[in-house]
Amino acid sequence: KKKQALPLPSAMTTTMGRSAVVCAAAAVGGFVLGRYLFPKTKTGDDDDEEDVGSLSSSSSPFSVSMLARKNIRELEPYRCARDDYEEGVLLDANENAMGPALKPLSKELKGLHRYPDPYQREVKELVAEFRGVSHENVFVGVGSDEAIDLLFRVFCEPRVHDVVIMPPTYGMYKVSAAANDVAVRKAPLEGETFDVDVEAVLATVSMTRTRLVFVTSPGNPTARCVSRDRLVTLLEKLPKTCLLVVDEAYVDFSDVPSMAPLVNQYPRLVVLHTLSKAFGLAGARVGTAIAHPNAVALMNNLKAPYNMNSLTSAVAKTALADRSVLHHTVAALTAEKAALKKKPRRPRRLRRQSLSLRRQLPPRQVQRPPQRQAPLHDPRRQRRRRTLPRRPAPLRRMPQGHRRHQGRKRTTHRQASPIRTRHPPPSIITEEWRSSSSTTTVIVRSFFFSPG
């Protein structure tokens, strides 16, 4: 027989029902109050998941600005005084209308009392013509180091994202990463050719955290030129949340074409150049970044208002306008590089001179290596001197009362090897007599003993 449950009193049932209702109401109220007082904050991983999800969906078009940090996308750029007016009576920037305190003034120095163009439009036009792109694809900065630092600040979230480098490479990548609190991943190069190993790079890249992959072509310091096909293959296989940055500081010395014309076809491609190498303007500090117009706009919003001064801009425009000196310099350095690859050989004229000198010298002096000269106090030096023929020194007369040879037991005054002697004791008195019939001086010593 089954046991029947005992019926509970009606008062207890009512109490249990009220308790359950109170607990449920408290749970709902606590949940609503917690969401109101402590709203949920999105982490970097959540942002990455949203970016990956939005980029993977085919409905939303891709834009490189989607990879930028949220605060950078919402950043309102600094409004410069030269954004509106560049000519006329300019009183909107608190400039000195009397001109610079310099004398005499050249054409470049006359405008130093005015702020420069914040976007360097003339320089961008010349760079775009030289690299085969539009001026909207060009960013001009203080060397390529400024462009590298801006790429970290625009696309990398501190302590969330990371970058990939391929050592040995340019050391500024690690410095900028450390300054912006971004981790660095290292991918190895191919062992014998120092070329980019696409599979090793893809194995190093994180699908959600890696934002930048740096490639130097030609390599620094490997001098390896990466082909355009290999770079395009790497760019197509990288995740859509990752940018490929190709540093072409030495591309003007290479026969491999630049990747700059492909920036509009591949929005995740950034190409860096500098005027410090082939142009020889390292002291002017001029660098460029060629990228998609959306990426260039983000970098312009974040840069300093007047990052390039007027003098540097004038020098850059002069070098880019007339590139004949650039071509001459590149041709000369390339010829020297080709000469270094050949087997080093002495010129024929120098070989003939060395042979004629060997015929003139005695065989012993040619074959015997130079000997180290012995010091003056070395007794071997005295023996070596005695073996050589020596002319006899002439006799000389000693003057009356001369005290140079005191204490020497010597009857002749012929010069010999210098021998240092001590002074005689005070109890010895030396007297000298010189005979009129002979040239020999006789030294007589008398010993006087004191009473003590």
Side-chain angles (χ1 to χ4, degrees), residues 183-206:
V184 176
R185 297 172 179 261
K186 298 180 181 180
L189 296 172
E190 293 184 356
E192 298 181 356
T193 62
F194 295 106
D195 207 344
V196 175
D197 192 346
V198 178
E199 299 301 330
V201 174
L202 295 177
T204 308
V205 169
S206 174

CSV table of all heavy atoms in Angstrom, one decimal, residues 183-206:
chain,number,residue,atom,x,y,z
A,183,ALA,N,50.7,44.8,-27.2
A,183,ALA,CA,51.6,43.6,-27.2
A,183,ALA,C,52.2,43.4,-28.6
A,183,ALA,O,51.6,43.8,-29.6
A,183,ALA,CB,50.8,42.4,-26.8
A,184,VAL,N,53.3,42.7,-28.7
A,184,VAL,CA,54.0,42.5,-30.0
A,184,VAL,C,54.2,41.0,-30.1
A,184,VAL,O,54.6,40.2,-29.2
A,184,VAL,CB,55.4,43.1,-30.0
A,184,VAL,CG1,56.1,42.8,-31.3
A,184,VAL,CG2,55.2,44.7,-29.9
A,185,ARG,N,53.8,40.5,-31.3
A,185,ARG,CA,54.0,39.1,-31.7
A,185,ARG,C,55.1,39.0,-32.7
A,185,ARG,O,55.2,40.0,-33.6
A,185,ARG,CB,52.7,38.4,-32.3
A,185,ARG,CG,51.6,38.3,-31.3
A,185,ARG,CD,50.3,37.9,-32.0
A,185,ARG,NE,49.2,37.8,-31.1
A,185,ARG,CZ,48.7,36.6,-30.5
A,185,ARG,NH1,49.4,35.5,-30.9
A,185,ARG,NH2,47.7,36.6,-29.7
A,186,LYS,N,55.9,38.0,-32.7
A,186,LYS,CA,57.0,37.9,-33.7
A,186,LYS,C,56.9,36.7,-34.5
A,186,LYS,O,56.7,35.5,-34.0
A,186,LYS,CB,58.4,37.8,-32.9
A,186,LYS,CG,58.7,39.0,-32.0
A,186,LYS,CD,60.0,38.8,-31.3
A,186,LYS,CE,60.2,40.1,-30.4
A,186,LYS,NZ,61.5,40.0,-29.7
A,187,ALA,N,56.9,36.9,-35.9
A,187,ALA,CA,56.9,35.8,-36.9
A,187,ALA,C,58.2,35.7,-37.5
A,187,ALA,O,58.9,36.7,-37.9
A,187,ALA,CB,55.8,36.1,-37.9
A,188,PRO,N,58.7,34.4,-37.7
A,188,PRO,CA,60.1,34.3,-38.3
A,188,PRO,C,60.1,34.4,-39.8
A,188,PRO,O,59.0,34.2,-40.4
A,188,PRO,CB,60.4,32.8,-37.9
A,188,PRO,CG,59.1,32.1,-37.8
A,188,PRO,CD,58.1,33.2,-37.3
A,189,LEU,N,61.2,34.9,-40.3
A,189,LEU,CA,61.4,34.9,-41.7
A,189,LEU,C,62.0,33.6,-42.2
A,189,LEU,O,62.4,32.7,-41.4
A,189,LEU,CB,62.4,36.1,-42.1
A,189,LEU,CG,61.9,37.5,-41.7
A,189,LEU,CD1,63.1,38.5,-42.0
A,189,LEU,CD2,60.8,37.9,-42.6
A,190,GLU,N,62.0,33.4,-43.5
A,190,GLU,CA,62.6,32.3,-44.1
A,190,GLU,C,64.1,32.3,-43.8
A,190,GLU,O,64.8,33.3,-43.9
A,190,GLU,CB,62.3,32.2,-45.6
A,190,GLU,CG,60.9,32.0,-46.0
A,190,GLU,CD,60.6,31.8,-47.4
A,190,GLU,OE1,61.6,32.0,-48.2
A,190,GLU,OE2,59.5,31.6,-47.9
A,191,GLY,N,64.6,31.1,-43.5
A,191,GLY,CA,66.0,31.0,-43.0
A,191,GLY,C,67.0,31.4,-44.0
A,191,GLY,O,68.0,32.2,-43.6
A,192,GLU,N,67.0,31.0,-45.2
A,192,GLU,CA,68.1,31.3,-46.1
A,192,GLU,C,67.9,32.6,-46.9
A,192,GLU,O,68.8,33.3,-47.3
A,192,GLU,CB,68.2,30.1,-47.1
A,192,GLU,CG,68.6,28.8,-46.4
A,192,GLU,CD,68.8,27.7,-47.3
A,192,GLU,OE1,68.5,27.9,-48.5
A,192,GLU,OE2,69.1,26.6,-46.9
A,193,THR,N,66.6,32.9,-47.3
A,193,THR,CA,66.4,34.0,-48.2
A,193,THR,C,65.9,35.3,-47.4
A,193,THR,O,65.8,36.3,-48.0
A,193,THR,CB,65.3,33.6,-49.2
A,193,THR,OG1,64.1,33.3,-48.5
A,193,THR,CG2,65.8,32.5,-50.0
A,194,PHE,N,65.5,35.2,-46.2
A,194,PHE,CA,65.0,36.3,-45.4
A,194,PHE,C,63.7,36.8,-46.0
A,194,PHE,O,63.4,38.0,-45.8
A,194,PHE,CB,66.0,37.4,-45.2
A,194,PHE,CG,67.2,37.0,-44.4
A,194,PHE,CD1,68.4,36.8,-45.1
A,194,PHE,CD2,67.2,36.9,-43.1
A,194,PHE,CE1,69.6,36.4,-44.3
A,194,PHE,CE2,68.3,36.5,-42.3
A,194,PHE,CZ,69.5,36.3,-43.0
A,195,ASP,N,63.0,36.0,-46.7
A,195,ASP,CA,61.7,36.4,-47.3
A,195,ASP,C,60.6,36.2,-46.3
A,195,ASP,O,60.8,35.5,-45.3
A,195,ASP,CB,61.5,35.6,-48.6
A,195,ASP,CG,60.6,36.4,-49.6
A,195,ASP,OD1,60.0,37.4,-49.1
A,195,ASP,OD2,60.6,36.1,-50.8
A,196,VAL,N,59.5,36.8,-46.6
A,196,VAL,CA,58.3,36.7,-45.7
A,196,VAL,C,57.7,35.3,-45.8
A,196,VAL,O,57.4,34.8,-46.9
A,196,VAL,CB,57.2,37.7,-46.1
A,196,VAL,CG1,56.0,37.5,-45.3
A,196,VAL,CG2,57.8,39.1,-45.9
A,197,ASP,N,57.6,34.6,-44.7
A,197,ASP,CA,57.0,33.3,-44.6
A,197,ASP,C,55.5,33.5,-44.4
A,197,ASP,O,55.1,33.8,-43.2
A,197,ASP,CB,57.6,32.5,-43.5
A,197,ASP,CG,57.2,31.0,-43.6
A,197,ASP,OD1,56.3,30.7,-44.3
A,197,ASP,OD2,57.9,30.2,-42.9
A,198,VAL,N,54.7,33.3,-45.4
A,198,VAL,CA,53.2,33.6,-45.3
A,198,VAL,C,52.6,32.7,-44.3
A,198,VAL,O,51.8,33.1,-43.4
A,198,VAL,CB,52.6,33.5,-46.7
A,198,VAL,CG1,51.1,33.8,-46.6
A,198,VAL,CG2,53.2,34.5,-47.6
A,199,GLU,N,52.9,31.4,-44.3
A,199,GLU,CA,52.3,30.5,-43.4
A,199,GLU,C,52.7,30.8,-41.9
A,199,GLU,O,51.9,30.7,-41.0
A,199,GLU,CB,52.7,29.1,-43.8
A,199,GLU,CG,52.2,28.7,-45.2
A,199,GLU,CD,50.7,28.8,-45.4
A,199,GLU,OE1,50.0,28.5,-44.4
A,199,GLU,OE2,50.3,29.0,-46.5
A,200,ALA,N,53.9,31.1,-41.7
A,200,ALA,CA,54.4,31.5,-40.4
A,200,ALA,C,53.7,32.7,-39.8
A,200,ALA,O,53.3,32.8,-38.7
A,200,ALA,CB,55.9,31.6,-40.3
A,201,VAL,N,53.4,33.7,-40.7
A,201,VAL,CA,52.7,34.9,-40.3
A,201,VAL,C,51.3,34.6,-39.9
A,201,VAL,O,50.8,35.1,-38.9
A,201,VAL,CB,52.8,36.0,-41.4
A,201,VAL,CG1,52.0,37.2,-41.0
A,201,VAL,CG2,54.3,36.4,-41.6
A,202,LEU,N,50.6,33.8,-40.8
A,202,LEU,CA,49.2,33.5,-40.5
A,202,LEU,C,49.1,32.6,-39.2
A,202,LEU,O,48.1,32.8,-38.5
A,202,LEU,CB,48.7,32.7,-41.7
A,202,LEU,CG,48.6,33.5,-43.0
A,202,LEU,CD1,48.1,32.5,-44.1
A,202,LEU,CD2,47.7,34.7,-42.9
A,203,ALA,N,50.1,31.8,-38.9
A,203,ALA,CA,50.1,31.1,-37.7
A,203,ALA,C,50.3,31.9,-36.5
A,203,ALA,O,49.8,31.6,-35.3
A,203,ALA,CB,51.1,29.9,-37.7
A,204,THR,N,51.0,33.1,-36.6
A,204,THR,CA,51.2,34.0,-35.5
A,204,THR,C,50.1,34.9,-35.3
A,204,THR,O,49.9,35.4,-34.1
A,204,THR,CB,52.5,34.8,-35.8
A,204,THR,OG1,53.6,33.9,-36.1
A,204,THR,CG2,52.9,35.6,-34.6
A,205,VAL,N,49.3,35.3,-36.3
A,205,VAL,CA,48.3,36.3,-36.2
A,205,VAL,C,47.1,35.7,-35.4
A,205,VAL,O,46.7,34.6,-35.5
A,205,VAL,CB,47.8,36.7,-37.6
A,205,VAL,CG1,46.6,37.5,-37.5
A,205,VAL,CG2,48.9,37.5,-38.3
A,206,SER,N,46.6,36.6,-34.5
A,206,SER,CA,45.3,36.3,-33.8
A,206,SER,C,44.1,36.8,-34.6
A,206,SER,O,44.1,37.9,-35.1
A,206,SER,CB,45.4,36.9,-32.4
A,206,SER,OG,44.1,36.7,-31.7
